[in-house]
């Protein structure tokens, strides 16, 4: 078993103590539902109400492992948050949260480099899988450049 797989297994078994999420979202029912599920999973949440607050938190390097971003807020939207995350020092997965299913937005979000696009209801088992997958991708990306073409 290689080093990053051991790190993943360790994190997988102790998610509650190890995962910190930045949630950039308006205070609404969707946010409350997401927050409840993240707390159930033991994920520590740092909240930003807009892009400006998210920028300040990411510049402070508050130890965020992944980002949940709503589709829009007073000074921007998910695409702005994604750009902030892409400028971070290391891989920082962004999961876009929407109140409704929108296939065009889903394709745009994933095509822009976000990790996932999720709509309510937020089931704990599904969110746990998404979070674990995002964290695992981050551990792998630290070991290799995921943007490089595969070696033949």
């Amino acid at each position: 078993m290689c080093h990053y797989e051991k790190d993943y297994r360790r994190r997988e078994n102790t998610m509650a103590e190890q995962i910190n999420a930045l949630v950039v979202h308006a205070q609404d029912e969707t946010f409350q539902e997401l927050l409840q599920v993240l707390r159930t999973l033991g994920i520590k949440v740092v909240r930003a109400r807009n892009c400006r607050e998210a920028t300040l938190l990411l510049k402070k390097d508050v130890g965020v492992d992944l980002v949940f971003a709503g589709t829009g807020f007073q000074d921007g939207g998910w695409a702005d948050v994604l750009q902030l995350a892409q400028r971070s020092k290391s891989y920082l997965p962004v999961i876009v949260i929407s109140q409704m299913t929108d296939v065009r937005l889903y394709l745009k979000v994933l095509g822009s480099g976000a990790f996932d696009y999720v709509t309510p209801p937020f089931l704990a088992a599904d969110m746990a899988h998404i979070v674990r997958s995002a964290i695992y991708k981050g551990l792998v990306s630290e070991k290799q450049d995921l943007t490089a073409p595969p070696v033949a």
Side-chain angles (χ1 to χ4, degrees), residues 26-143:
Q27 183 94 14
D28 61 15
E29 282 183 38
T30 304
F31 167 77
Q32 293 301 329
E33 188 178 340
L34 174 64
L35 190 60
Q36 183 178 351
V37 170
L38 294 178
R39 284 184 180 150
T40 298
L41 295 173
I43 296 171
K44 182 180 176 194
V45 173
V46 178
R47 181 169 183 262
R49 293 171 292 188
N50 53 46
C51 286
R52 186 176 68 69
E53 288 181 9
T55 301
L56 293 173
L57 288 167
L58 290 174
K59 282 184 180 178
K60 280 186 186 178
D61 194 19
V62 292
V64 171
D65 298 303
L66 70 159
V67 177
F68 290 89
T71 54
F73 10 89
Q74 63 191 9
D75 63 347
W78 66 267
D80 301 303
V81 175
L82 181 60
Q83 282 184 339
L84 290 171
Q86 289 172 337
R87 284 184 272 181
S88 71
K89 296 175 207 161
S90 59
Y91 174 74
L92 188 58
V94 175
I95 299 163
V96 175
I97 303 299
S98 179
Q99 292 180 341
M100 64 186 98
T101 302
D102 180 337
V103 175
R104 287 185 194 164
L105 180 58
Y106 169 79
L107 294 172
K108 186 174 183 179
V109 163
L110 294 183
S112 297
F115 183 79
D116 207 347
Y117 173 92
V118 182
T119 60
F122 305 117
L123 304 176
D126 293 342
M127 292 304 285
H129 175 74
I130 291 166
V131 168
R132 284 187 187 113
S133 298
I135 296 301
Y136 182 74
K137 183 176 179 182
L139 291 171
V140 171
S141 71
E142 290 174 6
K143 303 299 176 196

